[in-house]
Amino acid sequence: MPPPGPATMGASGRLLHAVLMGAPGSGKRTLALRITKYFQLQKFSSGDLLRDNMLRDTEFGVLAKVFMDQGKLIPDDIMTRLTLHELKNFTRESWLLCGFPRTLRQAEALQRVYQIHLVMNLSVPVEVIRQRLSARWIHPSSGRVYNLEFNPPKAIGVDDLTGEPLVQREDDRPETLNERLKAYEDQTKPVLEYYREKGVLETFCGTETDKIWPCVYAFLQTKVPQIDQKASVTP
Protein backbone atom coordinates (compact mmCIF):
# COMPACT_ATOMS: atom_id res chain seq x y z
CA MET A 1 0.00 0.00 0.00
CA PRO A 2 1.46 3.43 -0.92
CA PRO A 3 2.15 5.88 1.92
CA PRO A 4 -0.46 8.51 2.72
CA GLY A 5 -0.38 11.54 0.47
CA PRO A 6 0.83 14.80 1.99
CA ALA A 7 -2.67 16.31 1.78
CA THR A 8 -3.84 13.99 4.55
CA MET A 9 -0.90 14.66 6.84
CA GLY A 10 -0.24 17.14 9.60
CA ALA A 11 2.24 19.98 9.28
CA SER A 12 5.07 17.65 10.33
CA GLY A 13 4.33 15.23 7.48
CA ARG A 14 2.59 12.62 9.64
CA LEU A 15 -1.01 11.61 10.07
CA LEU A 16 -2.50 13.69 12.85
CA HIS A 17 -4.62 12.11 15.58
CA ALA A 18 -6.56 14.77 17.49
CA VAL A 19 -9.18 14.84 20.24
CA LEU A 20 -11.74 17.55 21.02
CA MET A 21 -12.94 17.63 24.63
CA GLY A 22 -15.46 19.74 26.49
CA ALA A 23 -18.42 19.45 28.82
CA PRO A 24 -21.93 18.82 27.44
CA GLY A 25 -23.07 22.11 25.93
CA SER A 26 -19.57 23.53 25.53
CA GLY A 27 -19.90 23.73 21.73
CA LYS A 28 -17.92 20.63 20.69
CA ARG A 29 -20.24 19.71 17.83
CA THR A 30 -20.27 23.22 16.34
CA LEU A 31 -16.49 23.58 16.58
CA ALA A 32 -15.86 20.08 15.23
CA LEU A 33 -17.96 20.87 12.15
CA ARG A 34 -16.02 24.10 11.57
CA ILE A 35 -12.67 22.38 12.08
CA THR A 36 -13.47 19.68 9.53
CA LYS A 37 -14.84 22.28 7.12
CA TYR A 38 -11.56 24.19 7.04
CA PHE A 39 -8.95 21.55 7.89
CA GLN A 40 -8.13 18.12 6.52
CA LEU A 41 -9.39 16.07 9.43
CA GLN A 42 -12.01 13.30 9.44
CA LYS A 43 -14.47 13.85 12.32
CA PHE A 44 -15.62 10.99 14.53
CA SER A 45 -18.32 11.76 17.08
CA SER A 46 -19.01 9.13 19.74
CA GLY A 47 -22.65 10.23 19.80
CA ASP A 48 -23.00 9.87 16.03
CA LEU A 49 -21.35 6.44 16.12
CA LEU A 50 -23.72 5.27 18.84
CA ARG A 51 -26.81 6.54 17.01
CA ASP A 52 -25.73 4.92 13.76
CA ASN A 53 -25.03 1.57 15.41
CA MET A 54 -28.34 1.60 17.29
CA LEU A 55 -30.25 2.39 14.11
CA ARG A 56 -28.52 -0.49 12.33
CA ASP A 57 -28.94 -2.88 15.28
CA THR A 58 -25.26 -3.80 15.26
CA GLU A 59 -23.69 -5.72 18.14
CA PHE A 60 -22.43 -2.44 19.60
CA GLY A 61 -25.77 -0.73 19.09
CA VAL A 62 -27.76 -3.47 20.81
CA LEU A 63 -25.36 -3.52 23.77
CA ALA A 64 -25.39 0.27 24.11
CA LYS A 65 -29.18 0.43 23.98
CA VAL A 66 -29.49 -2.00 26.88
CA PHE A 67 -27.50 0.31 29.13
CA MET A 68 -29.15 3.50 27.87
CA ASP A 69 -32.64 2.08 28.39
CA GLN A 70 -31.67 1.40 32.00
CA GLY A 71 -30.39 4.95 32.42
CA LYS A 72 -26.82 3.71 32.89
CA LEU A 73 -23.56 4.96 31.43
CA ILE A 74 -22.25 2.83 28.58
CA PRO A 75 -19.25 0.87 29.91
CA ASP A 76 -15.75 1.92 28.91
CA ASP A 77 -15.02 -1.33 27.10
CA ILE A 78 -18.05 -0.99 24.81
CA MET A 79 -17.26 2.64 23.92
CA THR A 80 -13.61 1.78 23.36
CA ARG A 81 -14.36 -1.24 21.16
CA LEU A 82 -16.87 0.78 19.12
CA THR A 83 -14.44 3.66 18.56
CA LEU A 84 -11.41 1.51 17.74
CA HIS A 85 -13.53 -0.64 15.40
CA GLU A 86 -14.44 2.50 13.44
CA LEU A 87 -10.98 4.06 13.44
CA LYS A 88 -9.30 0.97 11.96
CA ASN A 89 -11.03 1.81 8.66
CA PHE A 90 -9.18 5.13 8.46
CA THR A 91 -5.48 4.34 8.26
CA ARG A 92 -4.62 6.97 5.64
CA GLU A 93 -6.41 10.03 7.01
CA SER A 94 -5.86 12.41 9.88
CA TRP A 95 -8.81 12.42 12.27
CA LEU A 96 -10.55 14.31 15.07
CA LEU A 97 -12.32 12.43 17.86
CA CYS A 98 -15.23 14.28 19.45
CA GLY A 99 -16.74 12.99 22.72
CA PHE A 100 -14.14 10.24 23.22
CA PRO A 101 -12.24 9.50 25.40
CA ARG A 102 -14.28 10.57 28.43
CA THR A 103 -12.53 8.50 31.08
CA LEU A 104 -8.92 7.75 31.92
CA ARG A 105 -9.48 4.09 31.10
CA GLN A 106 -10.72 5.03 27.62
CA ALA A 107 -7.77 7.39 27.10
CA GLU A 108 -5.26 4.72 28.07
CA ALA A 109 -6.92 2.14 25.80
CA LEU A 110 -6.85 4.59 22.89
CA GLN A 111 -3.20 5.44 23.52
CA ARG A 112 -2.23 1.77 23.35
CA VAL A 113 -3.37 1.68 19.71
CA TYR A 114 -2.89 5.26 18.48
CA GLN A 115 -0.52 8.04 19.40
CA ILE A 116 -2.58 11.14 20.17
CA HIS A 117 -0.79 14.23 18.92
CA LEU A 118 -3.20 16.97 19.93
CA VAL A 119 -6.00 17.41 22.48
CA MET A 120 -8.14 20.57 22.39
CA ASN A 121 -10.17 21.23 25.52
CA LEU A 122 -13.06 23.71 25.56
CA SER A 123 -13.45 25.47 28.90
CA VAL A 124 -16.84 27.20 29.13
CA PRO A 125 -18.38 28.55 32.38
CA VAL A 126 -21.02 26.30 33.94
CA GLU A 127 -23.59 29.13 33.97
CA VAL A 128 -23.26 29.50 30.19
CA ILE A 129 -23.63 25.75 29.68
CA ARG A 130 -26.77 25.64 31.83
CA GLN A 131 -28.33 28.40 29.75
CA ARG A 132 -27.43 26.73 26.46
CA LEU A 133 -28.70 23.29 27.37
CA SER A 134 -31.99 24.53 28.76
CA ALA A 135 -32.68 25.93 25.27
CA ARG A 136 -31.36 22.90 23.33
CA TRP A 137 -33.67 20.59 21.36
CA ILE A 138 -32.63 17.70 19.12
CA HIS A 139 -33.89 15.59 16.24
CA PRO A 140 -33.42 12.09 17.72
CA SER A 141 -32.75 10.01 14.61
CA SER A 142 -30.19 12.33 12.98
CA GLY A 143 -28.70 14.04 16.02
CA ARG A 144 -29.30 17.52 14.56
CA VAL A 145 -29.18 20.08 17.34
CA TYR A 146 -31.17 23.30 17.62
CA ASN A 147 -30.96 26.08 20.18
CA LEU A 148 -33.96 28.32 20.73
CA GLU A 149 -31.69 31.31 21.38
CA PHE A 150 -29.16 31.27 18.53
CA ASN A 151 -29.99 28.38 16.18
CA PRO A 152 -33.79 27.90 16.30
CA PRO A 153 -35.68 25.57 13.94
CA LYS A 154 -37.61 27.23 11.11
CA ALA A 155 -40.86 26.00 12.65
CA ILE A 156 -41.22 25.65 16.40
CA GLY A 157 -40.79 22.10 17.62
CA VAL A 158 -39.99 20.38 14.31
CA ASP A 159 -36.85 19.41 12.41
CA ASP A 160 -36.00 21.63 9.41
CA LEU A 161 -35.29 18.73 7.03
CA THR A 162 -37.81 16.05 7.97
CA GLY A 163 -40.61 17.93 9.76
CA GLU A 164 -40.39 15.35 12.54
CA PRO A 165 -40.80 16.44 16.18
CA LEU A 166 -37.86 17.71 18.19
CA VAL A 167 -37.29 16.56 21.76
CA GLN A 168 -35.42 17.84 24.77
CA ARG A 169 -33.00 15.25 26.05
CA GLU A 170 -33.81 13.97 29.50
CA ASP A 171 -30.33 14.85 30.74
CA ASP A 172 -30.56 18.44 29.41
CA ARG A 173 -33.37 19.18 31.85
CA PRO A 174 -32.38 21.38 34.80
CA GLU A 175 -33.09 18.71 37.42
CA THR A 176 -30.47 16.34 35.94
CA LEU A 177 -28.02 18.83 34.44
CA ASN A 178 -26.03 19.62 37.59
CA GLU A 179 -25.43 15.93 38.23
CA ARG A 180 -24.44 15.41 34.61
CA LEU A 181 -21.93 18.26 34.61
CA LYS A 182 -20.38 17.09 37.88
CA ALA A 183 -20.07 13.55 36.51
CA TYR A 184 -18.32 14.92 33.43
CA GLU A 185 -15.88 16.93 35.53
CA ASP A 186 -15.11 13.97 37.80
CA GLN A 187 -14.58 11.64 34.83
CA THR A 188 -12.52 13.91 32.63
CA LYS A 189 -10.29 15.72 35.11
CA PRO A 190 -7.89 12.71 35.15
CA VAL A 191 -8.06 12.56 31.33
CA LEU A 192 -7.03 16.20 30.99
CA GLU A 193 -4.18 15.65 33.45
CA TYR A 194 -3.12 12.54 31.50
CA TYR A 195 -2.84 14.52 28.25
CA ARG A 196 -1.29 17.52 30.01
CA GLU A 197 1.52 15.31 31.26
CA LYS A 198 2.06 14.08 27.69
CA GLY A 199 2.39 17.70 26.52
CA VAL A 200 -0.42 17.52 23.96
CA LEU A 201 -3.19 19.45 25.77
CA GLU A 202 -4.32 22.91 24.61
CA THR A 203 -7.22 24.60 26.45
CA PHE A 204 -9.45 27.28 24.90
CA CYS A 205 -11.52 29.38 27.30
CA GLY A 206 -14.56 31.49 26.46
CA THR A 207 -18.30 31.98 26.69
CA GLU A 208 -19.17 32.03 22.96
CA THR A 209 -18.26 29.57 20.24
CA ASP A 210 -17.80 32.38 17.71
CA LYS A 211 -15.13 33.93 19.96
CA ILE A 212 -13.36 30.66 20.72
CA TRP A 213 -13.29 29.59 17.05
CA PRO A 214 -10.71 32.16 15.77
CA CYS A 215 -8.27 30.97 18.47
CA VAL A 216 -8.81 27.34 17.50
CA TYR A 217 -8.45 28.24 13.82
CA ALA A 218 -5.16 30.10 14.37
CA PHE A 219 -3.81 27.26 16.49
CA LEU A 220 -4.65 24.56 13.92
CA GLN A 221 -3.10 26.52 11.05
CA THR A 222 0.30 25.49 12.42
CA LYS A 223 -0.74 21.85 12.84
CA VAL A 224 -3.01 20.71 10.00
CA PRO A 225 -3.23 21.44 6.26
CA GLN A 226 -6.22 23.58 5.32
CA ILE A 227 -8.76 22.42 2.76
CA ASP A 228 -8.62 25.84 1.09
CA GLN A 229 -5.57 27.94 1.90
CA LYS A 230 -7.53 31.08 0.97
CA ALA A 231 -10.49 30.20 3.19
CA SER A 232 -11.63 32.86 5.62
CA VAL A 233 -11.82 32.22 9.36
CA THR A 234 -15.45 33.37 9.20
CA PRO A 235 -17.72 30.28 9.38
Side-chain angles (χ1 to χ4, degrees), residues 3-232:
T8 66
M9 293 186 172
S12 63
R14 66 185 176 188
L15 289 175
L16 188 81
H17 301 151
V19 171
L20 182 62
M21 297 185 65
S26 61
K28 290 191 302 296
R29 184 182 180 88
T30 300
L31 275 173
L33 289 172
R34 291 185 187 179
I35 288 169
T36 53
K37 175 183 177 182
Y38 289 97
F39 296 95
Q40 294 178 9
L41 287 169
Q42 173 72 43
K43 178 177 79 75
F44 292 98
S45 161
S46 58
D48 291 346
L49 286 177
L50 277 174
R51 275 186 292 273
D52 178 61
N53 277 266
M54 285 191 286
L55 284 171
R56 292 189 291 114
D57 285 328
T58 66
E59 174 195 356
F60 296 115
V62 171
L63 282 171
K65 192 173 187 306
V66 170
F67 288 95
M68 293 178 72
D69 286 348
Q70 296 173 357
K72 296 178 180 178
L73 292 174
I74 298 171
D76 285 340
D77 61 331
I78 293 177
M79 287 305 306
T80 300
R81 285 170 57 205
L82 172 61
T83 305
L84 295 180
H85 178 77
E86 186 71 19
L87 288 177
K88 73 180 182 181
N89 298 317
F90 293 85
T91 58
R92 302 183 65 202
E93 294 179 78
S94 295
W95 43 252
L96 174 69
L97 278 177
C98 185
F100 183 94
R102 287 192 175 181
T103 68
L104 181 58
R105 188 178 172 192
Q106 291 176 4
E108 290 171 340
L110 178 65
Q111 193 74 22
R112 284 194 289 271
V113 182
Y114 296 101
Q115 181 182 355
I116 301 303
H117 306 112
L118 176 62
V119 178
M120 294 171 285
N121 176 48
L122 306 181
S123 178
V124 177
V126 172
E127 298 76 18
V128 173
I129 288 176
R130 283 199 190 100
Q131 185 176 357
R132 285 182 185 176
L133 294 187
S134 65
R136 182 166 78 169
W137 292 75
I138 66 168
H139 179 235
S141 60
S142 71
R144 275 186 291 277
V145 179
Y146 298 88
N147 189 287
L148 301 183
E149 295 182 357
F150 57 83
N151 179 37
K154 295 174 182 175
I156 296 175
V158 297
D159 177 54
D160 287 351
L161 298 184
T162 66
E164 295 172 347
L166 301 176
V167 300
Q168 188 172 40
R169 284 172 40 166
E170 191 70 36
D171 51 9
D172 281 352
R173 296 178 181 177
E175 57 269 25
T176 58
L177 185 53
N178 286 343
E179 185 176 338
R180 186 181 175 205
L181 291 174
K182 185 176 188 310
Y184 175 83
E185 182 180 355
D186 292 344
Q187 281 185 336
T188 57
K189 191 173 182 180
V191 180
L192 295 175
E193 186 57 36
Y194 176 77
Y195 285 127
R196 184 178 291 110
E197 289 177 358
K198 291 187 175 296
V200 297
L201 180 67
E202 189 76 17
T203 295
F204 299 89
C205 302
T207 58
E208 298 177 31
T209 301
D210 285 346
K211 292 183 179 178
I212 294 175
W213 164 240
C215 301
V216 173
Y217 181 89
F219 175 72
L220 285 175
Q221 279 186 305
T222 67
K223 308 288 184 183
V224 195
Q226 291 174 255
I227 291 174
D228 181 356
Q229 295 293 333
K230 298 178 181 179
S232 166

